[in-house]
């Protein structure tokens, strides 16, 4: 189990190297998302097995886990990964296409971010996310994102703009 975790972590590090990340960007994103989740699951399994093997016979597994600092740290890490997913929402957008190279995406779903911040959006939240700088309009609600053609995802977005995205 430990070697499987180690091999997955090595794969994540190797695919994060700039030349490989650039050349195999979609593989990098999927590997990091699903590889990260599988490592988390494997660490959970390893933690439960370790605590089970180390506890005294008369101690219940739940009690042994509750007294393990590793269990509580892993619970905190797991919650920090799950928490952002609980706030996802699919919102309507308006897309203005001034050229074949760029679109201006307008959002007005009750949030007006501060200038200089960024928003990550997705059309398929389990697969890939892309961040863009927010462009709020002073005195108006909502904000805009400017998306230029930079790769396959942005190209598809510009060529076939969706009506809704996940934020």
């Amino acid at each position: 189990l430990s070697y499987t975790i180690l091999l997955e972590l090595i794969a994540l590090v190797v695919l994060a190297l700039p030349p490989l990340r650039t050349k195999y960007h979609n593989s990098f994103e999927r590997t990091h998302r699903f590889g990260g989740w599988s490592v988390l699951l494997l660490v959970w399994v390893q933690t439960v097995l370790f605590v089970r093997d180390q506890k005294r016979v008369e101690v219940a597994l739940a009690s042994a886990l509750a007294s393990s600092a590793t269990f509580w740290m892993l619970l905190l890490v797991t919650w920090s990964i799950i928490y952002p997913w609980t706030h996802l929402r699919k919102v309507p957008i308006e897309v203005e296409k001034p050229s074949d190279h760029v679109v201006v995406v307008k959002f007005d779903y009750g949030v007006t971010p501060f200038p200089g911040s960024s928003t990550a959006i997705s059309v398929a939240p389990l697969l890939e996310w892309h961040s863009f700088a927010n462009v709020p309009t002073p005195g108006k609600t909502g904000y805009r994102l400017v998306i230029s053609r930079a790769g396959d995802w942005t190209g598809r977005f510009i060529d076939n703009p969706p009506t809704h995205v996940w934020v």
Side-chain angles (χ1 to χ4, degrees):
L1 196 57
S2 295
Y3 288 119
T4 303
I5 293 169
L6 180 62
L7 287 174
E8 284 197 43
L9 291 174
I10 289 171
L12 296 178
V13 169
V14 168
L15 280 171
L17 295 171
L20 293 176
R21 181 178 179 165
T22 302
K23 188 173 182 178
Y24 304 106
H25 185 73
N26 291 339
S27 295
F28 159 79
E29 284 199 10
R30 287 184 178 92
T31 301
H32 274 72
R33 168 124 335 110
F34 298 114
W37 289 343
S38 67
V39 165
L40 180 65
L41 178 65
L42 290 172
V43 171
W44 267 108
V45 170
Q46 186 174 43
T47 299
V48 171
L49 292 176
F50 179 77
V51 169
R52 183 199 67 189
D53 291 344
Q54 298 299 314
K55 74 176 183 65
R56 293 189 318 269
V57 176
E58 66 274 4
V59 176
L61 180 59
S63 295
L65 284 169
S67 64
S68 167
T70 305
F71 169 80
W72 293 106
M73 185 59 68
L74 193 53
L75 195 62
L76 181 65
V77 168
T78 302
W79 175 246
S80 72
I81 291 169
I82 292 171
Y83 182 73
W85 289 89
T86 65
H87 292 294
L88 282 185
R89 55 189 142 168
K90 193 173 186 178
V91 298
I93 58 171
E94 293 177 35
V95 179
E96 180 183 319
K97 190 174 177 181
S99 75
D100 285 339
H101 184 71
V102 70
V103 291
V104 178
V105 183
K106 297 178 185 177
F107 294 83
D108 195 4
Y109 58 93
V111 172
T112 304
F114 62 91
S117 60
S118 64
T119 296
I121 64 171
S122 179
V123 291
L126 286 177
L127 298 179
E128 58 185 328
W129 285 84
H130 295 272
S131 294
F132 301 94
N134 297 318
V135 185
T137 304
K140 290 187 175 181
T141 61
Y143 60 100
R144 296 166 291 161
L145 304 177
V146 177
I147 300 176
S148 63
R149 190 180 299 273
D152 57 343
W153 189 89
T154 54
R156 284 191 309 273
F157 194 99
I158 292 168
D159 294 338
N160 298 302
T163 59
H164 292 75
V165 295
W166 292 89
V167 294

